[in-house]
Amino acid sequence: MCGIVGYIGKAGATTVLINGLRRLEYRGYDSAGVAIIDDDRIVISKSPGKVARLNDKTHADWDPTVFQRAIAGIAHTRWATHGPPTEVNAHPHLDQSGDVALVHNGIIENYRALRARLEGLGHHFYSETDTEVLAHLIGECNKGDLFQAVCDALHQVSGTFGIAVLSANEPDRIITARRGSPIVIGVGDGETIIASDSSAIVAHTQRVIYLDDNDIAIVTADSVEIRDLNNVPVTREIAELNLDAAAAEKGGYDHFMLKEIHEQPDTLSNTIRGRLDFDLGSSVLAGMGTSPRELAELNRVVLLGCGTSLHAGLVGEYAFEDLADIHAEVQQAAEFRYRNPILGSRDLVVAISQSGETADTLAAVREANQKGAFVMSLCNVVGSTIARETGRGVYLHAGPEISVASTKAFTSQVAVLIMMALKLGRGRRYSREDGIKLGREIESIPTLVARVLRQDEHIAKIATTYANNEHAFFIGRGPMYPVALEGALKLKEISYIHAEGYHAAELKHGPIALLENGTPIIALAVDIPGKDKTLGNIEECRARGARILGIVTEGDHETAECMDDFITIPSCHPLVATIPAVVALQLFAYHVARIRGCEIDQPRNLAKSVTVE
Ligand code: AGP
């Protein structure tokens, strides 16, 4: 939920730290701060608001030589969990001596008890944060060895943390540790950089080390020494990122979201490439780590996720039942572990998460593991916690998704879920011929999406008609029902229009009471089974004055004529059609938000990865 950067190596650390925060700002942008070591003392600057304000403040507050000569420091951009986004609550936080600085991502669940104990020892706190309590606890444990002090403090903590710690008395090192919040260490040439994710590292090095839970590392300019919290040495391999800095930039688009919408033909190609077998009429998903016999013995698929990932799971539910004749159900990840789920070894649990760090989904994975289910994940971020804790699954290969509103991850998730369902189906009653035919349709998805993207200007024009509404309803049937939910989420989270998705038949069971003259109905009226029923639902809405924007199939002129406005998608398999259909809704939401002048990549109140319950 927050972005952490640590750097040690060459002069110019402050600039490296602030630029790193810029790359991580999508993780949270309520407030920001930076601490460096200068002349054996900690120098710190913090400010509410975005990183740009911190940069201005630091230039104003600090002597230019200090700003330029620092070789070590830590920095943080915050998504508030404890205490409002003020300067005093911004990280880094200091211990009581002022010689130790800490940045933290996560939640210290027992911080109140720790704070009371420390106050009893004479500690005084300035902020409302749990993080300041951890800083003071480290200070209290510090007997001259920062590593041991951090170890001792973390043994007293319950909750989650990804931290970086700096001490004026040990200027040649940074201590970093994680439990439940990601930490990646970039190994450079005479410099080392610590970050919450690799987008802040890629400009410096492609060589990275992912810390595991309860790892703690001593990081210097030339070395990374990793131990566990019991001070036992641990070996973690150096991985290659294979990520270029440009990939983390906007590529000439006004917003990351528009870039990520338009790069979907490429990202979907990357997702699908090498994963279809036209001899067997099946898919090749080696990461699932399962034999056909193991798959054939499964009797249920449980799909877990939150938000957009939950919606992808809802499409997956249709795919598994349609292609594999297996019972499939979607569970809201936050609810899953508290309902004491009935699971066993013949249940396949698929955790869907773009970031691979969503706390609710991670907790659900741990519950499914506890119950002995067959657990795997569908993640985009390589080496993310959920990917590593499930130990098997499929990576999306969609590249970094920077915009808080998820777009390319959703379409890649759906593509993988259809391929997973095909793989299961081919181990059951789905024929080779049907598998080859569906494989060809899956292979064509990038082309289908490109045809929708070519309507960008048309969709932008339509958006002007709907940009001033304060309410909107999205409706669909079958696999288009989750697409309606996802379209509504996209519109509400970036344009702040109150948008709701409903099954097309559900509107008349109450919500239709909300329709007034001109209320927009965005209807998934594509040419798949159930279309005629949807058209009937559309007429029920029109009879009450609604304005209809239809997503219709190319060439279906009769249906198009029923709409006030329409966007077309190519004719294709009903499951495959969910992908071009959602791309139309992504562009619609983007242009409405743009016209309304909204902050599209970093909408208010949101963060890219929700790493708290
Ligand atoms: C989607 O646009 C939102 N940003 C949000 O619903 C997101 O999908 C959800 O928080 C799950 O994130 P994850 O896929 O990284 O687990």
Side-chain angles (χ1 to χ4, degrees), residues 145-190:
D145 177 343
L146 183 62
F147 170 83
Q148 194 56 54
V150 174
C151 264
D152 295 345
L154 293 180
H155 275 291
Q156 302 175 54
V157 153
S158 66
T160 58
F161 53 80
I163 60 171
V165 191
L166 200 59
S167 168
N169 304 318
E170 299 181 43
D172 67 334
R173 62 192 53 201
I174 297 174
I175 307 299
T176 182
R178 69 153 282 171
R179 181 191 297 155
S181 293
I183 290 285
V184 185
I185 300 172
V187 180
D189 177 11

mmCIF file of all heavy atoms in Angstrom, residues 145-190:
data_model
loop_
_atom_site.group_PDB
_atom_site.id
_atom_site.type_symbol
_atom_site.label_atom_id
_atom_site.label_comp_id
_atom_site.label_asym_id
_atom_site.label_seq_id
_atom_site.Cartn_x
_atom_site.Cartn_y
_atom_site.Cartn_z
ATOM 1 N N ASP A 145 24.202 -2.254 17.933
ATOM 2 C CA ASP A 145 24.192 -3.092 16.723
ATOM 3 C C ASP A 145 22.808 -2.963 16.084
ATOM 4 O O ASP A 145 21.834 -3.571 16.565
ATOM 5 C CB ASP A 145 24.483 -4.552 17.109
ATOM 6 C CG ASP A 145 24.427 -5.493 15.904
ATOM 7 O OD1 ASP A 145 23.850 -5.089 14.858
ATOM 8 O OD2 ASP A 145 24.941 -6.622 16.001
ATOM 9 N N LEU A 146 22.722 -2.188 15.009
ATOM 10 C CA LEU A 146 21.416 -1.884 14.405
ATOM 11 C C LEU A 146 20.718 -3.151 13.931
ATOM 12 O O LEU A 146 19.522 -3.320 14.151
ATOM 13 C CB LEU A 146 21.578 -0.917 13.235
ATOM 14 C CG LEU A 146 20.280 -0.460 12.567
ATOM 15 C CD1 LEU A 146 19.404 0.313 13.552
ATOM 16 C CD2 LEU A 146 20.576 0.404 11.326
ATOM 17 N N PHE A 147 21.488 -4.070 13.316
ATOM 18 C CA PHE A 147 20.871 -5.311 12.828
ATOM 19 C C PHE A 147 20.194 -6.046 13.985
ATOM 20 O O PHE A 147 19.027 -6.429 13.903
ATOM 21 C CB PHE A 147 21.920 -6.214 12.179
ATOM 22 C CG PHE A 147 21.415 -7.597 11.870
ATOM 23 C CD1 PHE A 147 20.700 -7.847 10.714
ATOM 24 C CD2 PHE A 147 21.628 -8.641 12.764
ATOM 25 C CE1 PHE A 147 20.206 -9.114 10.436
ATOM 26 C CE2 PHE A 147 21.131 -9.908 12.496
ATOM 27 C CZ PHE A 147 20.424 -10.150 11.331
ATOM 28 N N GLN A 148 20.935 -6.200 15.093
ATOM 29 C CA GLN A 148 20.371 -6.940 16.238
ATOM 30 C C GLN A 148 19.186 -6.184 16.831
ATOM 31 O O GLN A 148 18.180 -6.795 17.227
ATOM 32 C CB GLN A 148 21.450 -7.137 17.309
ATOM 33 C CG GLN A 148 21.057 -8.187 18.373
ATOM 34 C CD GLN A 148 20.708 -9.522 17.737
ATOM 35 O OE1 GLN A 148 21.495 -10.089 16.970
ATOM 36 N NE2 GLN A 148 19.500 -10.022 18.006
ATOM 37 N N ALA A 149 19.276 -4.864 16.833
ATOM 38 C CA ALA A 149 18.169 -4.056 17.383
ATOM 39 C C ALA A 149 16.899 -4.267 16.561
ATOM 40 O O ALA A 149 15.810 -4.446 17.105
ATOM 41 C CB ALA A 149 18.577 -2.580 17.382
ATOM 42 N N VAL A 150 17.049 -4.285 15.235
ATOM 43 C CA VAL A 150 15.877 -4.500 14.369
ATOM 44 C C VAL A 150 15.323 -5.907 14.595
ATOM 45 O O VAL A 150 14.125 -6.099 14.742
ATOM 46 C CB VAL A 150 16.238 -4.274 12.889
ATOM 47 C CG1 VAL A 150 15.048 -4.633 11.981
ATOM 48 C CG2 VAL A 150 16.657 -2.827 12.649
ATOM 49 N N CYS A 151 16.210 -6.899 14.666
ATOM 50 C CA CYS A 151 15.779 -8.280 14.940
ATOM 51 C C CYS A 151 14.976 -8.343 16.234
ATOM 52 O O CYS A 151 13.864 -8.865 16.268
ATOM 53 C CB CYS A 151 16.995 -9.173 15.117
ATOM 54 S SG CYS A 151 17.484 -10.046 13.654
ATOM 55 N N ASP A 152 15.555 -7.792 17.282
ATOM 56 C CA ASP A 152 14.897 -7.867 18.603
ATOM 57 C C ASP A 152 13.550 -7.152 18.590
ATOM 58 O O ASP A 152 12.573 -7.623 19.165
ATOM 59 C CB ASP A 152 15.809 -7.242 19.675
ATOM 60 C CG ASP A 152 17.101 -8.028 19.867
ATOM 61 O OD1 ASP A 152 17.158 -9.185 19.383
ATOM 62 O OD2 ASP A 152 18.062 -7.491 20.452
ATOM 63 N N ALA A 153 13.486 -6.049 17.913
ATOM 64 C CA ALA A 153 12.222 -5.299 17.839
ATOM 65 C C ALA A 153 11.174 -6.090 17.052
ATOM 66 O O ALA A 153 10.029 -6.240 17.483
ATOM 67 C CB ALA A 153 12.457 -3.934 17.202
ATOM 68 N N LEU A 154 11.583 -6.657 15.935
ATOM 69 C CA LEU A 154 10.611 -7.366 15.084
ATOM 70 C C LEU A 154 10.081 -8.622 15.757
ATOM 71 O O LEU A 154 8.976 -9.067 15.474
ATOM 72 C CB LEU A 154 11.229 -7.693 13.722
ATOM 73 C CG LEU A 154 11.548 -6.483 12.844
ATOM 74 C CD1 LEU A 154 12.166 -6.924 11.511
ATOM 75 C CD2 LEU A 154 10.312 -5.624 12.599
ATOM 76 N N HIS A 155 10.862 -9.179 16.677
ATOM 77 C CA HIS A 155 10.364 -10.344 17.433
ATOM 78 C C HIS A 155 9.192 -9.960 18.338
ATOM 79 O O HIS A 155 8.401 -10.796 18.743
ATOM 80 C CB HIS A 155 11.479 -10.941 18.292
ATOM 81 C CG HIS A 155 12.345 -11.921 17.543
ATOM 82 N ND1 HIS A 155 11.875 -13.149 17.121
ATOM 83 C CD2 HIS A 155 13.615 -11.840 17.114
ATOM 84 C CE1 HIS A 155 12.840 -13.796 16.482
ATOM 85 N NE2 HIS A 155 13.896 -13.027 16.458
ATOM 86 N N GLN A 156 9.049 -8.656 18.625
ATOM 87 C CA GLN A 156 7.984 -8.201 19.534
ATOM 88 C C GLN A 156 6.746 -7.688 18.792
ATOM 89 O O GLN A 156 5.790 -7.246 19.387
ATOM 90 C CB GLN A 156 8.528 -7.090 20.448
ATOM 91 C CG GLN A 156 9.725 -7.522 21.275
ATOM 92 C CD GLN A 156 10.290 -6.353 22.056
ATOM 93 O OE1 GLN A 156 9.577 -5.675 22.798
ATOM 94 N NE2 GLN A 156 11.603 -6.107 21.896
ATOM 95 N N VAL A 157 6.835 -7.775 17.456
ATOM 96 C CA VAL A 157 5.800 -7.157 16.626
ATOM 97 C C VAL A 157 4.860 -8.219 16.075
ATOM 98 O O VAL A 157 5.311 -9.289 15.645
ATOM 99 C CB VAL A 157 6.516 -6.393 15.476
ATOM 100 C CG1 VAL A 157 5.638 -6.274 14.254
ATOM 101 C CG2 VAL A 157 6.987 -5.029 15.959
ATOM 102 N N SER A 158 3.549 -7.922 16.079
ATOM 103 C CA SER A 158 2.634 -8.769 15.285
ATOM 104 C C SER A 158 2.035 -7.874 14.201
ATOM 105 O O SER A 158 1.848 -6.672 14.389
ATOM 106 C CB SER A 158 1.537 -9.364 16.166
ATOM 107 O OG SER A 158 0.713 -8.321 16.654
ATOM 108 N N GLY A 159 1.793 -8.470 13.036
ATOM 109 C CA GLY A 159 1.305 -7.671 11.915
ATOM 110 C C GLY A 159 2.224 -7.829 10.731
ATOM 111 O O GLY A 159 2.968 -8.811 10.626
ATOM 112 N N THR A 160 2.179 -6.861 9.835
ATOM 113 C CA THR A 160 2.941 -6.976 8.588
ATOM 114 C C THR A 160 3.915 -5.803 8.457
ATOM 115 O O THR A 160 3.655 -4.703 8.967
ATOM 116 C CB THR A 160 1.981 -6.943 7.370
ATOM 117 O OG1 THR A 160 1.235 -5.724 7.425
ATOM 118 C CG2 THR A 160 1.031 -8.124 7.379
ATOM 119 N N PHE A 161 5.008 -6.069 7.809
ATOM 120 C CA PHE A 161 5.984 -4.993 7.595
ATOM 121 C C PHE A 161 6.855 -5.272 6.380
ATOM 122 O O PHE A 161 7.124 -6.419 6.046
ATOM 123 C CB PHE A 161 6.874 -4.795 8.828
ATOM 124 C CG PHE A 161 7.548 -6.054 9.311
ATOM 125 C CD1 PHE A 161 8.696 -6.532 8.683
ATOM 126 C CD2 PHE A 161 7.039 -6.775 10.385
ATOM 127 C CE1 PHE A 161 9.327 -7.688 9.119
ATOM 128 C CE2 PHE A 161 7.651 -7.944 10.826
ATOM 129 C CZ PHE A 161 8.799 -8.399 10.189
ATOM 130 N N GLY A 162 7.190 -4.193 5.717
ATOM 131 C CA GLY A 162 8.293 -4.124 4.770
ATOM 132 C C GLY A 162 9.018 -2.865 5.201
ATOM 133 O O GLY A 162 8.434 -1.793 5.131
ATOM 134 N N ILE A 163 10.250 -2.992 5.687
ATOM 135 C CA ILE A 163 10.889 -1.813 6.292
ATOM 136 C C ILE A 163 12.298 -1.600 5.748
ATOM 137 O O ILE A 163 12.922 -2.524 5.216
ATOM 138 C CB ILE A 163 10.985 -1.940 7.836
ATOM 139 C CG1 ILE A 163 11.819 -3.159 8.245
ATOM 140 C CG2 ILE A 163 9.607 -1.978 8.482
ATOM 141 C CD1 ILE A 163 12.129 -3.218 9.744
ATOM 142 N N ALA A 164 12.767 -0.354 5.896
ATOM 143 C CA ALA A 164 14.178 -0.025 5.679
ATOM 144 C C ALA A 164 14.581 0.891 6.828
ATOM 145 O O ALA A 164 13.828 1.801 7.198
ATOM 146 C CB ALA A 164 14.394 0.656 4.343
ATOM 147 N N VAL A 165 15.756 0.613 7.426
ATOM 148 C CA VAL A 165 16.179 1.323 8.631
ATOM 149 C C VAL A 165 17.590 1.872 8.437
ATOM 150 O O VAL A 165 18.476 1.164 7.931
ATOM 151 C CB VAL A 165 16.161 0.389 9.857
ATOM 152 C CG1 VAL A 165 16.331 1.189 11.148
ATOM 153 C CG2 VAL A 165 14.868 -0.417 9.915
ATOM 154 N N LEU A 166 17.777 3.132 8.851
ATOM 155 C CA LEU A 166 19.037 3.844 8.667
ATOM 156 C C LEU A 166 19.513 4.318 10.039
ATOM 157 O O LEU A 166 18.685 4.702 10.866
ATOM 158 C CB LEU A 166 18.726 5.068 7.802
ATOM 159 C CG LEU A 166 19.776 5.798 7.032
ATOM 160 C CD1 LEU A 166 20.463 4.877 6.041
ATOM 161 C CD2 LEU A 166 19.125 6.972 6.296
ATOM 162 N N SER A 167 20.807 4.245 10.313
ATOM 163 C CA SER A 167 21.318 4.791 11.584
ATOM 164 C C SER A 167 22.502 5.698 11.329
ATOM 165 O O SER A 167 23.421 5.352 10.572
ATOM 166 C CB SER A 167 21.745 3.648 12.521
ATOM 167 O OG SER A 167 22.491 4.193 13.609
ATOM 168 N N ALA A 168 22.499 6.858 12.001
ATOM 169 C CA ALA A 168 23.621 7.805 11.851
ATOM 170 C C ALA A 168 24.901 7.197 12.403
ATOM 171 O O ALA A 168 25.996 7.595 12.021
ATOM 172 C CB ALA A 168 23.274 9.098 12.579
ATOM 173 N N ASN A 169 24.742 6.211 13.301
ATOM 174 C CA ASN A 169 25.943 5.615 13.910
ATOM 175 C C ASN A 169 26.519 4.466 13.082
ATOM 176 O O ASN A 169 27.576 3.930 13.408
ATOM 177 C CB ASN A 169 25.590 5.111 15.323
ATOM 178 C CG ASN A 169 25.021 6.250 16.167
ATOM 179 O OD1 ASN A 169 25.536 7.378 16.110
ATOM 180 N ND2 ASN A 169 23.920 5.990 16.869
ATOM 181 N N GLU A 170 25.761 4.013 12.077
ATOM 182 C CA GLU A 170 26.261 2.946 11.180
ATOM 183 C C GLU A 170 25.982 3.360 9.737
ATOM 184 O O GLU A 170 25.132 2.797 9.060
ATOM 185 C CB GLU A 170 25.578 1.610 11.516
ATOM 186 C CG GLU A 170 25.844 1.152 12.946
ATOM 187 C CD GLU A 170 25.192 -0.194 13.275
ATOM 188 O OE1 GLU A 170 25.267 -1.123 12.426
ATOM 189 O OE2 GLU A 170 24.595 -0.305 14.358
ATOM 190 N N PRO A 171 26.680 4.409 9.273
ATOM 191 C CA PRO A 171 26.355 5.050 7.985
ATOM 192 C C PRO A 171 26.661 4.185 6.766
ATOM 193 O O PRO A 171 26.283 4.538 5.650
ATOM 194 C CB PRO A 171 27.234 6.300 7.989
ATOM 195 C CG PRO A 171 28.366 5.980 8.902
ATOM 196 C CD PRO A 171 27.825 5.065 9.949
ATOM 197 N N ASP A 172 27.317 3.017 6.987
ATOM 198 C CA ASP A 172 27.695 2.217 5.810
ATOM 199 C C ASP A 172 26.674 1.145 5.475
ATOM 200 O O ASP A 172 26.929 0.277 4.645
ATOM 201 C CB ASP A 172 29.051 1.535 6.080
ATOM 202 C CG ASP A 172 28.914 0.483 7.188
ATOM 203 O OD1 ASP A 172 27.995 0.629 8.033
ATOM 204 O OD2 ASP A 172 29.704 -0.491 7.183
ATOM 205 N N ARG A 173 25.531 1.167 6.129
ATOM 206 C CA ARG A 173 24.569 0.077 5.877
ATOM 207 C C ARG A 173 23.117 0.529 6.054
ATOM 208 O O ARG A 173 22.868 1.543 6.702
ATOM 209 C CB ARG A 173 24.836 -1.083 6.839
ATOM 210 C CG ARG A 173 24.662 -0.751 8.309
ATOM 211 C CD ARG A 173 25.199 -1.824 9.202
ATOM 212 N NE ARG A 173 26.582 -2.135 8.854
ATOM 213 C CZ ARG A 173 27.174 -3.295 9.184
ATOM 214 N NH1 ARG A 173 26.500 -4.204 9.861
ATOM 215 N NH2 ARG A 173 28.417 -3.525 8.842
ATOM 216 N N ILE A 174 22.226 -0.244 5.430
ATOM 217 C CA ILE A 174 20.783 -0.088 5.645
ATOM 218 C C ILE A 174 20.281 -1.483 6.030
ATOM 219 O O ILE A 174 20.709 -2.479 5.431
ATOM 220 C CB ILE A 174 20.057 0.385 4.366
ATOM 221 C CG1 ILE A 174 20.540 1.780 3.946
ATOM 222 C CG2 ILE A 174 18.542 0.400 4.581
ATOM 223 C CD1 ILE A 174 19.973 2.241 2.604
ATOM 224 N N ILE A 175 19.411 -1.541 7.013
ATOM 225 C CA ILE A 175 18.805 -2.824 7.381
ATOM 226 C C ILE A 175 17.404 -2.855 6.785
ATOM 227 O O ILE A 175 16.650 -1.881 6.890
ATOM 228 C CB ILE A 175 18.693 -2.982 8.911
ATOM 229 C CG1 ILE A 175 20.052 -2.756 9.583
ATOM 230 C CG2 ILE A 175 18.136 -4.366 9.269
ATOM 231 C CD1 ILE A 175 21.142 -3.725 9.159
ATOM 232 N N THR A 176 17.089 -3.956 6.112
ATOM 233 C CA THR A 176 15.746 -4.078 5.540
ATOM 234 C C THR A 176 15.176 -5.446 5.890
ATOM 235 O O THR A 176 15.915 -6.406 6.053
ATOM 236 C CB THR A 176 15.772 -3.871 4.008
ATOM 237 O OG1 THR A 176 14.428 -3.961 3.492
ATOM 238 C CG2 THR A 176 16.645 -4.903 3.315
ATOM 239 N N ALA A 177 13.840 -5.501 6.047
ATOM 240 C CA ALA A 177 13.199 -6.763 6.448
ATOM 241 C C ALA A 177 11.762 -6.776 5.945
ATOM 242 O O ALA A 177 11.200 -5.720 5.650
ATOM 243 C CB ALA A 177 13.210 -6.905 7.970
ATOM 244 N N ARG A 178 11.179 -7.984 5.843
ATOM 245 C CA ARG A 178 9.788 -8.046 5.384
ATOM 246 C C ARG A 178 9.000 -9.161 6.046
ATOM 247 O O ARG A 178 9.544 -10.201 6.389
ATOM 248 C CB ARG A 178 9.701 -8.211 3.879
ATOM 249 C CG ARG A 178 10.167 -9.577 3.381
ATOM 250 C CD ARG A 178 9.494 -9.989 2.069
ATOM 251 N NE ARG A 178 8.128 -10.472 2.301
ATOM 252 C CZ ARG A 178 7.272 -10.725 1.303
ATOM 253 N NH1 ARG A 178 7.626 -10.508 0.043
ATOM 254 N NH2 ARG A 178 6.070 -11.179 1.559
ATOM 255 N N ARG A 179 7.737 -8.910 6.247
ATOM 256 C CA ARG A 179 6.756 -9.934 6.599
ATOM 257 C C ARG A 179 5.417 -9.436 6.059
ATOM 258 O O ARG A 179 4.833 -8.506 6.556
ATOM 259 C CB ARG A 179 6.633 -10.169 8.105
ATOM 260 C CG ARG A 179 5.604 -11.283 8.452
ATOM 261 C CD ARG A 179 5.309 -11.315 9.940
ATOM 262 N NE ARG A 179 6.504 -11.644 10.713
ATOM 263 C CZ ARG A 179 6.655 -11.267 11.980
ATOM 264 N NH1 ARG A 179 5.760 -10.477 12.570
ATOM 265 N NH2 ARG A 179 7.737 -11.642 12.663
ATOM 266 N N GLY A 180 4.995 -9.975 4.923
ATOM 267 C CA GLY A 180 3.662 -9.648 4.406
ATOM 268 C C GLY A 180 3.614 -8.442 3.496
ATOM 269 O O GLY A 180 2.626 -8.193 2.837
ATOM 270 N N SER A 181 4.707 -7.657 3.448
ATOM 271 C CA SER A 181 4.772 -6.533 2.493
ATOM 272 C C SER A 181 6.078 -6.671 1.707
ATOM 273 O O SER A 181 7.132 -6.866 2.295
ATOM 274 C CB SER A 181 4.764 -5.188 3.231
ATOM 275 O OG SER A 181 3.517 -4.993 3.873
ATOM 276 N N PRO A 182 6.006 -6.554 0.382
ATOM 277 C CA PRO A 182 7.151 -6.927 -0.472
ATOM 278 C C PRO A 182 8.371 -6.024 -0.303
ATOM 279 O O PRO A 182 8.234 -4.823 -0.065
ATOM 280 C CB PRO A 182 6.585 -6.779 -1.894
ATOM 281 C CG PRO A 182 5.446 -5.826 -1.754
ATOM 282 C CD PRO A 182 4.863 -6.057 -0.392
ATOM 283 N N ILE A 183 9.543 -6.640 -0.425
ATOM 284 C CA ILE A 183 10.822 -5.901 -0.480
ATOM 285 C C ILE A 183 11.658 -6.559 -1.571
ATOM 286 O O ILE A 183 11.836 -7.791 -1.571
ATOM 287 C CB ILE A 183 11.589 -5.961 0.857
ATOM 288 C CG1 ILE A 183 10.869 -5.122 1.933
ATOM 289 C CG2 ILE A 183 13.023 -5.450 0.670
ATOM 290 C CD1 ILE A 183 11.021 -3.618 1.801
ATOM 291 N N VAL A 184 12.133 -5.741 -2.517
ATOM 292 C CA VAL A 184 13.029 -6.211 -3.575
ATOM 293 C C VAL A 184 14.338 -5.439 -3.429
ATOM 294 O O VAL A 184 14.315 -4.223 -3.161
ATOM 295 C CB VAL A 184 12.422 -5.918 -4.968
ATOM 296 C CG1 VAL A 184 13.286 -6.510 -6.074
ATOM 297 C CG2 VAL A 184 11.012 -6.464 -5.059
ATOM 298 N N ILE A 185 15.467 -6.114 -3.600
ATOM 299 C CA ILE A 185 16.777 -5.457 -3.461
ATOM 300 C C ILE A 185 17.475 -5.496 -4.819
ATOM 301 O O ILE A 185 17.645 -6.577 -5.402
ATOM 302 C CB ILE A 185 17.648 -6.178 -2.414
ATOM 303 C CG1 ILE A 185 16.942 -6.155 -1.044
ATOM 304 C CG2 ILE A 185 19.028 -5.511 -2.306
ATOM 305 C CD1 ILE A 185 17.633 -7.004 0.011
ATOM 306 N N GLY A 186 17.828 -4.328 -5.343
ATOM 307 C CA GLY A 186 18.541 -4.252 -6.622
ATOM 308 C C GLY A 186 20.042 -4.220 -6.381
ATOM 309 O O GLY A 186 20.534 -3.379 -5.629
ATOM 310 N N VAL A 187 20.745 -5.167 -7.016
ATOM 311 C CA VAL A 187 22.198 -5.265 -6.805
ATOM 312 C C VAL A 187 22.908 -4.592 -7.976
ATOM 313 O O VAL A 187 22.924 -5.117 -9.098
ATOM 314 C CB VAL A 187 22.618 -6.760 -6.712
ATOM 315 C CG1 VAL A 187 24.123 -6.869 -6.485
ATOM 316 C CG2 VAL A 187 21.834 -7.454 -5.598
ATOM 317 N N GLY A 188 23.459 -3.378 -7.700
ATOM 318 C CA GLY A 188 24.124 -2.609 -8.766
ATOM 319 C C GLY A 188 25.626 -2.704 -8.666
ATOM 320 O O GLY A 188 26.165 -3.524 -7.928
ATOM 321 N N ASP A 189 26.287 -1.818 -9.404
ATOM 322 C CA ASP A 189 27.763 -1.790 -9.416
ATOM 323 C C ASP A 189 28.217 -0.698 -8.445
ATOM 324 O O ASP A 189 28.106 0.485 -8.741
ATOM 325 C CB ASP A 189 28.228 -1.479 -10.851
ATOM 326 C CG ASP A 189 29.752 -1.370 -10.919
ATOM 327 O OD1 ASP A 189 30.404 -1.746 -9.908
ATOM 328 O OD2 ASP A 189 30.282 -0.885 -11.944
ATOM 329 N N GLY A 190 28.585 -1.124 -7.229
ATOM 330 C CA GLY A 190 28.984 -0.147 -6.213
ATOM 331 C C GLY A 190 27.806 0.595 -5.624
ATOM 332 O O GLY A 190 27.959 1.637 -4.975
#
